[in-house]
Amino acid sequence: SQQGEEDPQALSIQEGENATMNCSYKTSINNLQWYRQNSGRGLVHLILIRSNEREKHSGRLRVTLDTSKKSSSLLITASRAADTASYFCATAHQGGSEKLVFGKGTKLTVNP
Amino acid sequence: DAGVIQSPRHEVTEMGQEVTLRCKPISGHDYLFWYRQTMMRGLELLIYFNNNVPIDDSGMPEDRFSAKMPNASFSTLKIQPSEPRDSAVYFCAIFAAGSVYTFGSGTRLTVV
């Protein structure tokens, strides 16, 4: 299976702390994306990092990619209660980059 | 979620009944995807279309599942007959080259 794996499955932190979520995948990729899902809603795109990039920032989000280890991490700095959601990594593989393969997600709870 | 409208939001049906899920992409796209989300399996790609043509239906679990895309603004996913194990949240998503995925809010299907 090409499916990625997020780690941890669940994470609970206090407001103001940083949250780090990891993702591993199995085959060569074209790009890797992170999505957020609030309860009962669809997924919303957060950030995309290409296979030739190592780090990317967007506001309080920082994504790293290590293609040699086939892994990525998503860091949310200065977390807020509103960041409570599930976070998914998704990989677009070479030779079929329109098709995304999603991991099972990390459920993040930020306590006020 | 404004780019993709899914209906109904919730569906409860009895085993053996036919179920039709609908997706109306609002914004421009080249691809349309149907995903199924469960706690056990996460997000599974069922089928996707490119310019209204089915490209890959290898994720469709059984012949009970079928999908159509008669035009760029409408797609259906049909389950006939439905079974309790089909209970899940079904998402429609769109993608245009050079862009990212846009998901609908999903249809929560419960088969009793």
Side-chain angles (χ1 to χ4, degrees):
Chain A
S1 168
Q2 296 176 333
Q3 191 173 41
E5 295 286 335
E6 283 95 339
D7 163 49
Q9 291 187 352
L11 179 61
S12 181
I13 59 174
Q14 295 299 122
E15 222 170 12
E17 295 180 339
N18 295 342
T20 299
M21 289 160 271
N22 302 296
C23 169
S24 60
Y25 57 92
K26 296 179 180 177
T27 60
S28 296
I29 62 171
N30 182 289
N31 66 70
L32 185 145
Q33 304 176 32
W34 284 90
Y35 286 77
R36 166 193 168 127
Q37 183 181 33
N38 285 71
S39 180
R41 306 291 294 177
L43 281 75
V44 176
H45 178 262
L46 294 176
I47 195 165
L48 179 154
I49 186 166
R50 302 188 192 286
S51 59
N52 60 353
E53 297 176 310
R54 291 297 165 258
E55 187 171 311
K56 206 160 182 180
H57 297 254
S58 176
R60 293 184 296 113
L61 305 181
R62 174 178 167 249
V63 170
T64 62
L65 179 64
D66 186 335
T67 52
S68 67
K69 295 182 179 178
K70 290 187 170 59
S71 67
S72 173
S73 68
L74 171 67
L75 169 68
I76 303 175
T77 60
S79 64
R80 305 166 182 168
D83 294 329
T84 295
S86 291
Y87 292 82
F88 294 84
C89 73
T91 47
H93 295 267
Q94 294 177 358
S97 60
E98 73 279 1
K99 188 167 80 170
L100 287 183
V101 178
F102 287 84
K104 290 189 177 181
T106 293
K107 187 174 175 62
L108 173 66
T109 302
V110 182
N111 301 299
Chain B
D1 297 343
V4 181
I5 305 297
Q6 288 189 247
S7 62
R9 286 298 309 273
H10 303 274
E11 176 82 31
V12 180
T13 191
E14 291 186 347
M15 183 173 63
Q17 296 297 306
E18 176 180 299
V19 175
T20 299
L21 311 180
R22 298 173 180 78
C23 174
K24 297 180 72 174
I26 303 300
S27 48
H29 62 280
D30 302 312
Y31 296 88
L32 183 141
F33 302 81
W34 282 100
Y35 282 86
R36 176 172 70 176
Q37 186 178 35
T38 61
M39 288 293 293
M40 288 293 293
R41 298 189 177 192
L43 270 161
E44 302 174 278
L45 176 63
L46 301 177
I47 184 172
Y48 75 98
F49 297 82
N50 177 213
N51 294 326
N52 313 339
V53 176
I55 300 301
D56 183 353
D57 66 354
S58 59
M60 297 285 260
E62 299 171 33
D63 291 345
R64 299 183 296 106
F65 285 70
S66 63
K68 293 182 180 179
M69 191 166 184
N71 58 65
S73 301
F74 187 63
S75 178
T76 59
L77 178 69
K78 184 179 293 186
I79 308 172
Q80 165 64 16
S82 58
E83 297 182 3
R85 60 192 167 126
D86 301 331
S87 297
V89 182
Y90 291 81
F91 287 102
C92 176
I94 59 174
F95 171 75
S99 184
V100 295
Y101 274 40
T102 299
F103 278 78
S105 295
T107 294
R108 181 174 295 277
L109 173 65
T110 303
V111 183
V112 298

